[in-house]
């Protein structure tokens, strides 16, 4: 009984093949050429479009990631309160400037400026008052420098200025002008008039300069200047 079933299955299979062959042969007689499988160009085009769409999406994501990285790098170099370079950002600008000076034999000056009497203002009126003083000082400094110059915050109440193409005499005169402008600032907190002040030190920059050494030199000069100004009142509180 099993053998006839195998034979029947083989016959059926052979019959299917024969029927297909007959159809192909008939089509060949009618058209003069063999039958061809159906074209799949449409599905191929769809696949290519999908690949191109994926590439466009990846490029968009890459541009967005690059933009985000640039934003984060800028934020890492910027003081969040004053919107000027922080120490990291200023030191980077200073290193770039010195590299330029070494290549093109340019010159400049570095001024380190420390705000006098800021701590008593914070202690008497709170840090919000101290922040207002710092913002006013930054506005005063930026008004007196060129677009190519750089004003940065090294930390706390200490600032640094990178100034291009100044002689030693010009740099010291500029530092004195910064001190005077900040000394003349006046604030009113809780009905009381308050003044701050600043002490500035200068270091010249040129082809032989080193960024770290220049900062140390200007910082040392600033402390010498601060010692000379200690005879001034530490804070003046005058009733309105």
């Amino acid at each position: 009984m099993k053998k006839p079933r195998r034979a029947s299955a083989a016959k059926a299979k052979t019959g299917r093949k024969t029927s297909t062959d007959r159809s192909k042969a008939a089509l060949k007689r009618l058209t003069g050429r063999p039958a061809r499988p159906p074209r799949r160009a449409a599905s191929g085009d769809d696949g290519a479009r999908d690949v191109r769409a994926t590439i466009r999406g990846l490029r968009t994501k890459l541009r967005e990631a690059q933009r985000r990285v640039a934003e984060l790098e800028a934020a890492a170099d910027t003081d969040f309160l004053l919107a000027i370079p922080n120490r990291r950002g200023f030191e980077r600008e200073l290193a770039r400037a010195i590299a330029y000076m070494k290549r093109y034999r340019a010159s400049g000056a570095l001024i380190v400026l420390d705000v006098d009497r800021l701590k008593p203002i914070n202690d008497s009126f709170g840090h919000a008052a101290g922040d207002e003083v710092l913002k006013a000082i930054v506005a005063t400094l930026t008004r007196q420098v060129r677009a190519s110059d750089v004003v940065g915050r090294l930390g706390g109440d200490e600032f640094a200025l990178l100034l291009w193409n100044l002689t030693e005499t010009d740099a010291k005169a500029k530092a004195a002008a910064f001190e005077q402008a900040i000394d003349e600032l006046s604030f009113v907190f809780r009905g009381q008039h308050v003044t701050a002040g600043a002490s500035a030190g200068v270091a010249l920059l040129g082809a032989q300069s080193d960024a770290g050494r220049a900062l140390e030199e200007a910082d040392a000069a600033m402390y010498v200047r601060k010692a000379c100004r200690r005879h001034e009142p530490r804070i003046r509180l005058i009733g309105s």
Side-chain angles (χ1 to χ4, degrees):
M1 295 300 291
K2 290 182 181 180
K3 288 182 180 179
R5 282 199 296 271
R6 285 199 298 271
S8 300
K11 243 187 200 180
K13 187 174 181 182
T14 304
R16 285 196 298 272
K17 286 183 178 180
T18 303
S19 175
T20 302
D21 293 340
R22 283 198 301 270
S23 299
K24 289 181 179 180
L27 182 60
K28 183 176 180 181
R29 285 194 301 272
L30 290 173
T31 61
R33 57 180 181 270
R36 294 179 181 178
R39 295 180 63 186
R40 297 183 179 180
S43 61
D45 291 344
D46 291 341
R49 283 195 294 270
D50 291 342
V51 171
R52 288 194 292 269
T54 300
I55 292 173
R56 286 195 297 270
L58 291 174
R59 286 175 176 170
T60 300
K61 291 180 179 179
L62 176 60
R63 286 193 295 269
E64 178 62 22
Q66 290 172 335
R67 183 188 63 80
R68 183 57 179 159
V69 168
E71 289 177 351
L72 291 173
E73 288 179 346
D77 288 345
T78 304
D79 184 88
F80 73 95
L81 174 65
L82 305 175
I84 60 175
N86 56 19
R87 175 180 283 274
R88 181 174 182 265
F90 185 84
E91 289 180 348
R92 179 176 294 180
E93 292 295 328
L94 179 60
R96 288 175 179 170
I98 291 177
Y100 180 92
M101 292 174 187
K102 288 180 179 179
R103 182 172 182 179
Y104 296 103
R105 300 295 175 180
S107 62
L110 171 65
I111 297 178
V112 170
L113 185 146
D114 190 79
V115 180
D116 299 327
R117 305 189 294 274
L118 183 65
K119 186 177 185 305
I121 293 175
N122 285 331
D123 293 343
S124 299
F125 305 105
H127 286 276
D131 291 347
E132 184 176 334
V133 172
L134 293 176
K135 291 177 182 178
I137 289 173
V138 170
T140 299
L141 295 174
T142 53
R143 280 196 301 267
Q144 298 191 47
V145 299
R146 296 158 295 186
S148 58
D149 299 331
V150 181
V151 179
R153 185 184 186 186
L154 299 182
D157 55 2
E158 191 170 68
F159 296 88
L161 298 98
L162 170 61
L163 309 177
W164 288 90
N165 301 322
L166 291 181
T167 65
E168 182 176 2
T169 301
D170 293 337
K172 290 181 177 179
K174 200 68 175 175
F178 292 149
E179 288 182 351
Q180 181 178 353
I182 295 172
D183 288 345
E184 292 173 355
L185 291 175
S186 181
F187 307 88
V188 178
F189 301 123
R190 300 177 192 166
Q192 294 180 309
H193 291 274
V194 178
T195 60
S199 302
V202 177
L204 297 180
L205 300 174
Q208 305 302 320
S209 296
D210 174 78
R213 189 174 302 171
L215 279 169
E216 292 175 359
E217 182 181 342
D219 196 56
M222 179 272 294
Y223 277 107
V224 171
R225 177 62 179 156
K226 184 180 283 289
C228 295
R229 288 169 55 90
R230 282 179 181 165
H231 66 278
E232 298 177 3
R234 297 187 62 187
I235 188 169
R236 188 169 69 223
L237 303 177
I238 305 175
S240 60

